[in-house]
């Protein structure tokens, strides 16, 4: 019987999935880290600036 869909080998399925999701996870982590660094830098300047900066991010 000829199958249209072939299931990937168990080892290769996880590696293909990581190749797709790994960079997405790292990018999201760096974007969140950038927000934290911006907040810390602004907190040294003035408290009102932190409140104004975080309002659009909600």
């Amino acid at each position: 019987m000829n199958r249209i869909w072939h299931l990937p080998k168990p080892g290769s399925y996880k590696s293909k999935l990581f190749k797709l999701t790994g960079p997405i996870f790292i990018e999201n982590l760096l974007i969140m880290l950038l927000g934290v660094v911006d907040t810390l830098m602004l907190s040294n300047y003035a408290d009102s600036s932190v409140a104004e900066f975080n309002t659009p991010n909600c």
Side-chain angles (χ1 to χ4, degrees):
M1 184 189 257
N2 225 351
R3 290 185 180 180
I4 296 174
W5 302 101
H6 297 284
L7 293 175
K9 294 178 182 177
S12 65
Y13 179 72
K14 289 183 181 180
S15 65
K16 287 181 182 179
L17 185 63
F18 181 74
K19 286 180 183 178
L20 289 174
T21 59
I24 295 170
F25 176 75
I26 292 171
E27 181 181 4
N28 285 334
L29 184 66
L30 290 174
I31 289 171
M32 287 190 299
L33 184 63
L34 181 66
V36 170
V37 169
D38 285 343
T39 303
L40 290 174
M41 287 173 50
L42 283 174
S43 68
N44 289 331
Y45 180 68
D47 290 336
S48 61
S49 63
V50 175
E52 292 173 9
F53 174 72
N54 284 330
T55 302
N57 294 331
C58 293

